[in-house]
Amino acid sequence: MRDLPDPVWPVVVLALVQVGDGVLCLGPVRFVRGCFEGVGFPRAWWWVAAPVKFAAAVGLVAGVWVPWLGVVTVWALVLYFLVAISAHVLARDFGRNLFLNAVGMLVICVLVALYSFGL
């Protein structure tokens, strides 16, 4: 592992994406609501999504100066999106939510882990 993420910009961009995703989860907006409903995620737990996304953003930004925290955060996001993909597959939700959102974010998170943290 490198001393600091290099380059830093992918980590910062991923953090901004997580903030944006967290904001979308606050309502949640219609397509996020559809995603939650599509996999049968209980409505009583919808509120958890936004704080998780915001915490991921904080962990990524802090990871610029504390690399092990960034590594843990980016791999936690990889795990998060693997679980999301599994939920979509189990629910037979093979549309945009699976392929564009969950798989797309998984690929981005893995690329940031490999490119910026050298793992």
Side-chain angles (χ1 to χ4, degrees):
M1 184 171 77
R2 301 175 187 150
D3 290 337
L4 295 173
D6 181 32
V8 170
W9 70 265
V11 179
V12 174
V13 169
L14 182 55
L16 291 172
V17 168
Q18 291 306 302
V19 169
D21 200 4
V23 169
L24 294 174
C25 289
L26 285 173
V29 297
R30 185 174 46 152
F31 85 87
V32 173
R33 196 169 45 247
C35 183
F36 289 163
E37 290 168 346
V39 297
F41 190 58
R43 186 176 294 264
W45 287 95
W46 287 8
W47 69 271
V48 173
V52 166
K53 302 294 182 152
F54 295 139
V58 169
L60 289 166
V61 170
V64 170
W65 295 278
V66 184
W68 66 265
L69 183 57
V71 169
V72 168
T73 303
V74 77
W75 287 111
L77 283 169
V78 167
L79 180 61
Y80 174 91
F81 287 109
L82 286 172
V83 170
I85 290 167
S86 299
H88 285 286
V89 170
L90 288 172
R92 300 197 189 302
D93 182 19
F94 297 115
R96 173 183 178 258
N97 292 329
L98 169 62
F99 292 107
L100 182 61
N101 299 346
V103 172
M105 283 305 301
L106 174 66
V107 169
I108 291 168
C109 292
V110 169
L111 289 175
V112 169
L114 297 174
Y115 187 55
S116 291
F117 292 101
L119 298 173

